[in-house]
Amino acid sequence: MELDRALREIHREVTPHLGEGRVATYIPALARVDPRRFGMAVATIDGETHVVGEANASFSIQSISKVFTLTLALQQVGSRLWSRVGREPSGTPFNSLVQLEYERGVPRNPFINAGALVVTDVLLFCWGREEALGHILGLIREVAADGHVAVDPEVARSEKASGHRNVALANLIHSFGRFRSDVDEILDLYFHQCAIAMGCAQLARSALFLAAGGRDPGSGRRVISRRRARRINSLMLTCGHYDASGDFAFRVGLPGKSGVGGGILAVAPGRLAAAVWSPALNPQGSSLVGTLALEKLAAKTGLSVF
Ligand code: GLN
């Protein structure tokens, strides 16, 4: 089906569900967002962008940032990363401490918070705080083709003031001697990367390198090797939605990554990238209507990696 029509239909079909689910309240700045908002964008590797709803409204990408920090860490240290973080789905919530204790500070995968904190430590150790944040923003601005993508300082401050579980996770990892940098600096950088804000149109554009074998189709620049792009996609498929990853693969059938700001990014290798935003979340912390919208996109277009 033609993409503009598919997006219009999806918007119409999900509208009665807007507001179902609950916005994240553990980060006070996110609790204030209207749960009924909705935007969606699809960017194709041949350069078209299709949008519906509030596709240019800026929102907090939160854990979707983990896709970009993983990309940077793989660029910097390559497969050495895998001695510090695993590649298995966790089956536990994104901020769970339980598994980390059993597995002695080696997080299951880079997309749960514990794994992302290790990835952040890698970037901090390579570059230091300012430069690392500059590289994260630099990569996102480049692949989004938008130099204005920025951190929302209020969201970063808000999470820093209330991020007790992340503080606990970081200290637990530190207690096993798994960090190289200072725990407070790791947390500060992590909260800032999570507080990056952008719209669906930019976000869909920013994942095209994962749909196009590691090369940004707009600039032609290779961001990461074809093999690593494939592997990031496979981790998004198996681990991108925490303990709802299996359900997302079942319903949508595409690699994806969600964030508690209500955004979800999905990649159809060889074809396109899609981003959706609707702030009310399912119990596992992914956008409820966003998941539904991507399920409908896959059904209407036949997109699937299977
Ligand atoms: N910043 C959030 C946190 O650490 C990110 C979690 C998410 O988006 N799932 O809790």
Side-chain angles (χ1 to χ4, degrees), residues 6 16 34 38 45 60 76 99 105 114 116 130 138 167 177 208 211-212 243 245 251 282 302:
D34 177 358
F38 176 83
I45 59 174
S60 189
Q76 290 307 301
Q99 215 165 38
E130 290 314 309
V167 173
L208 278 180
D243 46 343
S245 299
R251 290 171 58 190
N282 64 23

Side-chain angles (χ1 to χ4, degrees), residues 26-27 61-64 66 94-95 113 159 166 190-191 194 242 258-261 285:
Y26 74 101
I27 302 175
I61 67 169
Q62 292 294 318
S63 284
I64 301 172
K66 293 169 182 164
F94 63 89
N95 55 6
N113 287 11
E159 189 171 7
N166 285 317
Y190 173 79
F191 292 142
C194 288
Y242 324 108
S258 64
V260 290

Side-chain angles (χ1 to χ4, degrees), residues 15-20 23 33-38 54 277-280:
T15 296
H17 297 281
L18 290 176
E20 284 175 22
V23 295
V33 181
D34 177 358
R36 299 182 48 83
R37 298 183 73 178
F38 176 83
E54 296 185 77
W277 173 57
S278 187

Side-chain angles (χ1 to χ4, degrees), residues 17-204:
H17 297 281
L18 290 176
E20 284 175 22
R22 300 191 55 186
V23 295
T25 48
Y26 74 101
I27 302 175
L30 297 183
R32 293 194 279 275
V33 181
D34 177 358
R36 299 182 48 83
R37 298 183 73 178
F38 176 83
M40 191 167 185
V42 172
T44 65
I45 59 174
D46 40 28
E48 289 170 19
T49 304
H50 305 265
V51 296
V52 76
E54 296 185 77
N56 291 307
S58 195
F59 63 91
S60 189
I61 67 169
Q62 292 294 318
S63 284
I64 301 172
S65 62
K66 293 169 182 164
V67 173
F68 303 105
T69 53
L70 174 63
T71 301
L72 286 169
L74 287 171
Q75 280 175 352
Q76 290 307 301
V77 301
S79 49
R80 279 183 290 142
L81 182 68
W82 305 121
S83 62
R84 300 185 55 195
V85 58
R87 307 186 292 247
E88 288 296 337
S90 66
T92 57
F94 63 89
N95 55 6
S96 171
L97 286 140
V98 178
Q99 215 165 38
L100 198 57
E101 168 77 358
Y102 285 127
E103 299 182 356
R104 307 193 59 77
V106 180
R108 272 288 173 101
N109 67 67
F111 291 150
I112 50 173
N113 287 11
L117 287 164
V118 169
V119 169
T120 299
D121 177 47
V122 168
L123 303 185
L124 200 53
F125 188 75
C126 288
W127 287 313
R129 159 77 170 71
E130 290 314 309
E131 220 185 306
L133 187 58
H135 279 284
I136 297 167
L137 278 169
L139 171 66
I140 296 179
R141 286 173 180 160
E142 179 198 340
V143 291
D146 186 333
H148 299 296
V149 175
V151 172
D152 179 334
E154 202 205 322
V155 174
R157 254 196 316 275
S158 178
E159 189 171 7
K160 198 168 179 172
S162 62
H164 306 295
R165 289 194 76 90
N166 285 317
V167 173
L169 283 167
N171 280 304
L172 190 54
I173 298 170
H174 178 62
S175 75
F176 288 105
R178 305 275 183 205
F179 280 146
R180 306 219 170 122
S181 321
D182 176 74
V183 173
D184 290 336
E185 279 199 15
I186 295 168
L187 284 163
D188 181 71
L189 179 56
Y190 173 79
F191 292 142
H192 279 80
Q193 81 199 28
C194 288
I196 291 171
M198 58 205 283
C200 287
Q202 297 159 304
L203 191 57

